[in-house]
Amino acid sequence: MAEPSHRKRIWGWMMYDWATQPFHTLVVTFIFGPYFAEQVIAYLTAGGMDAAHAKAEAQSIWGYGLTAAGLMIALSAPVLGAIADESKRLMPWIWLFSALYVIGSAGLWIASPEDFPTVLVLVFFALGLIGVEFTTIFTNALLPALGSREEIGKISGNGWAWGYFGGIIALVIMLLLFAENTAGVTLLGSAPLFGLDPATREGTRFVGPFVALWFVISMVPFFLWVREPKSTAPVQPGAIGRSIDELMKTLRSLPKRRSLFAFLGSSMFYRDALNGVFTFGGIYALGALEWSVVQIGVFGILAAFTGSVFTYFGGIADQKFGPKPVILFSIAVLISVCLVILTITRESVLFTAVETGSKLPDIAFYICGAVLGAVGGIIQSASRTMMVRQADPERMTEAFGLYALSGKATTFLAPALIAVVSDVTNSQRLGITPLIALFILGLVLLAWVHPEGTKVPDDA
């Protein structure tokens, strides 16, 4: 079989972002997450809990589920990355965790509103999340082989933009043809396709099998065209033990590698906050603005569209100016938008009262979503290229394992803080305030990050 061209290898690699973005867009944020909260709220209010407390409790339960999955990812990611570097193999790991992703996603079909199985639903969700996070470690480690140090910023940006575009297509399909509102109709005003039963929310529940099927089809070009870097060194016995030893050595050396250490710490906080924004955005809109799942889906289309457009240009800016200025600008915008969101309720916008029934709160939230989608994609793409600059080229998978660790070591923190503050205050608005503090911590730590990373001595 002929070796795939360089262009095909890049497109194959970018198809991973296309394949997995629907999980983040449809499952975590805009369709399944709010549906989960909707069902939990219905169950709690039926049991006698008041609506405001039930909304905070639903947000809390979703947060605790994310916390548990995040801890598992954080503890395992660096070890798996180190083992992959030592074994010189990436593709077997990608196959393994791809299968886990498909099983977890497809399993969300069980989320029937009749005797809603909360714990089992969270287990399948965690399996899907673990699958997508671990495959991301190994696919990110393939990025340096696709271009020069200067080129990978644009390649990474194009990948994120292409992924967001895939998320838009998948979200539009779900909203038009499958996901029903409480009246039992889709955005087109018709019943879900294929005779799916609106009474048991089969259209909305189909989001799990849908993203699993989307992934299986979309990953075909990836597995056909992407090649892991060839290694001439044979794998010696005891590879796993050596990989763990090397990981421990790397961890002990981090405080001496000031730029890398600061970047891992910075990204740990600002990516955790960003995940919190997207994970709880739909649930917040469901409670604070009383939006339906379909309305939240439209909000998601807007956010994904701006993400697709602006991440492409963010990749160009990354190539021209480097990733650090792009990250700094993005965090400043994210803090500003979060502050604005805190002022949006059905009764007011920017602390100014609005008339009953006014659409201004909805419009303001849509605008915030558009901005979040735009800068969210940009900062994630730029962070990926910054990690390449900071990492040891010979230990790239381990580095992205550490990057996953920094992204997941406190991934429980944002959901846990949101869960606890929501519980204590019985307020969704106050529940999301910890995100602003996490963004500020990330911004401060960037002061110690050198934009050229490993190209300069650690004490430069």
Side-chain angles (χ1 to χ4, degrees):
M1 183 181 294
E3 187 74 10
S5 66
H6 182 62
R7 182 178 178 82
K8 280 187 174 181
R9 289 198 297 273
I10 291 175
W11 269 104
W13 181 83
M14 287 168 51
M15 283 302 296
Y16 175 79
D17 284 332
W18 169 282
T20 54
Q21 184 59 40
F23 183 87
H24 302 289
T25 304
L26 276 66
V27 174
V28 177
T29 307
F30 297 117
I31 292 183
F32 191 80
Y35 170 72
F36 177 90
E38 183 182 285
Q39 298 309 310
V40 173
I41 290 169
Y43 174 80
L44 294 174
T45 52
M49 187 179 290
D50 67 272
H53 191 188
K55 290 174 182 178
E57 186 68 18
Q59 180 168 281
S60 206
I61 292 171
W62 187 244
Y64 290 132
L66 285 164
T67 299
L71 283 171
M72 293 178 65
I73 294 165
L75 294 173
S76 305
V79 177
L80 289 175
I83 292 172
D85 277 329
E86 189 68 32
S87 67
K88 313 299 181 186
R89 298 299 308 277
L90 300 177
M91 285 301 183
W93 296 101
I94 295 174
W95 277 105
L96 173 64
F97 289 110
S98 292
L100 190 65
Y101 169 89
V102 171
I103 293 169
S105 299
L108 297 177
W109 171 256
I110 68 167
S112 171
E114 300 173 350
D115 194 21
F116 188 72
T118 304
V119 175
L120 192 55
V121 168
L122 287 174
V123 168
F124 276 111
F125 171 74
L127 289 177
L129 183 61
I130 290 168
V132 73
E133 291 291 347
F134 282 152
T135 50
T136 300
I137 294 170
F138 301 110
T139 54
N140 280 347
L142 294 167
L143 176 59
L146 298 175
S148 68
R149 191 182 183 92
E150 291 71 28
E151 293 170 336
I152 58 174
K154 190 170 186 298
I155 294 171
S156 179
N158 289 348
W160 274 107
W162 184 236
Y164 269 117
F165 185 60
I168 295 171
I169 301 299
L171 189 54
V172 168
I173 292 172
M174 276 297 303
L175 290 174
L176 294 181
L177 304 178
F178 297 106
E180 69 279 274
N181 58 21
T182 52
V185 295
T186 69
L187 194 59
L188 289 177
S190 58
L193 205 62
F194 304 139
L196 295 173
D197 184 10
T200 56
R201 304 299 297 272
E202 287 185 348
T204 300
R205 289 157 51 199
F206 181 64
V207 68
F210 176 79
V211 299
L213 182 62
W214 178 283
F215 179 84
V216 170
I217 295 172
S218 301
M219 286 294 282
V220 171
F222 178 91
F223 288 117
L224 285 178
W225 295 340
V226 175
R227 298 289 184 269
E228 55 189 354
K230 294 180 180 178
S231 174
T232 57
V235 178
Q236 301 296 327
I240 293 178
R242 285 197 307 276
S243 66
I244 295 175
D245 288 342
E246 285 294 324
L247 173 61
M248 294 300 104
K249 187 185 299 181
T250 300
L251 290 172
R252 287 193 295 269
S253 71
L254 280 178
K256 299 177 182 177
R257 302 168 67 181
R258 186 176 63 184
S259 182
L260 172 61
F261 194 39
F263 177 65
L264 289 173
S266 172
S267 70
M268 177 173 69
F269 290 116
Y270 72 67
R271 285 191 295 147
D272 193 25
L274 183 64
N275 289 335
V277 168
F278 285 113
T279 301
F280 289 92
I283 294 175
Y284 183 83
L286 177 77
L289 298 179
E290 301 174 352
W291 280 9
S292 70
V293 169
V294 172
Q295 283 178 292
I296 294 168
V298 174
F299 172 86
I301 292 174
L302 179 62
F305 175 76
T306 57
S308 179
V309 172
F310 284 90
T311 303
Y312 172 79
F313 291 107
I316 295 174
D318 185 340
Q319 186 175 30
K320 183 174 182 180
F321 304 109
K324 185 175 179 179
V326 174
I327 294 171
L328 287 168
F329 173 78
S330 298
I331 294 177
V333 173
L334 287 165
I335 292 172
S336 302
V337 174
C338 285
L339 289 171
V340 171
I341 287 175
L342 285 174
T343 73
I344 301 175
T345 68
R346 283 256 63 98
E347 295 78 31
S348 65
V349 175
L350 294 175
F351 302 112
T352 302
V354 299
E355 295 180 3
T356 302
S358 171
K359 295 297 182 183
L360 185 58
D362 304 298
I363 294 170
F365 204 76
Y366 277 126
I367 292 172
C368 288
V371 177
L372 287 173
V375 296
I378 290 172
I379 194 173
Q380 291 180 88
S381 172
S383 298
R384 186 160 61 182
T385 57
M386 176 62 89
M387 189 65 236
V388 172
R389 292 195 179 198
Q390 302 293 324
D392 178 355
E394 299 299 319
R395 307 290 299 179
M396 192 59 66
T397 319
E398 177 189 85
F400 274 105
L402 291 172
Y403 182 63
L405 170 63
S406 73
K408 297 301 175 185
T410 58
T411 197
F412 64 89
L413 186 58
L417 287 173
I418 290 172
V420 171
V421 175
S422 299
D423 261 344
V424 171
T425 64
N426 285 333
S427 167
Q428 280 193 296
R429 293 174 66 194
L430 294 178
I432 66 169
T433 53
L435 299 179
I436 297 171
L438 293 175
F439 276 130
I440 292 173
L441 282 172
L443 189 65
V444 170
L445 287 172
L446 278 174
W448 287 272
V449 177
H450 196 289
E452 295 302 320
T454 57
K455 288 186 69 175
V456 297
D458 292 328
D459 58 354

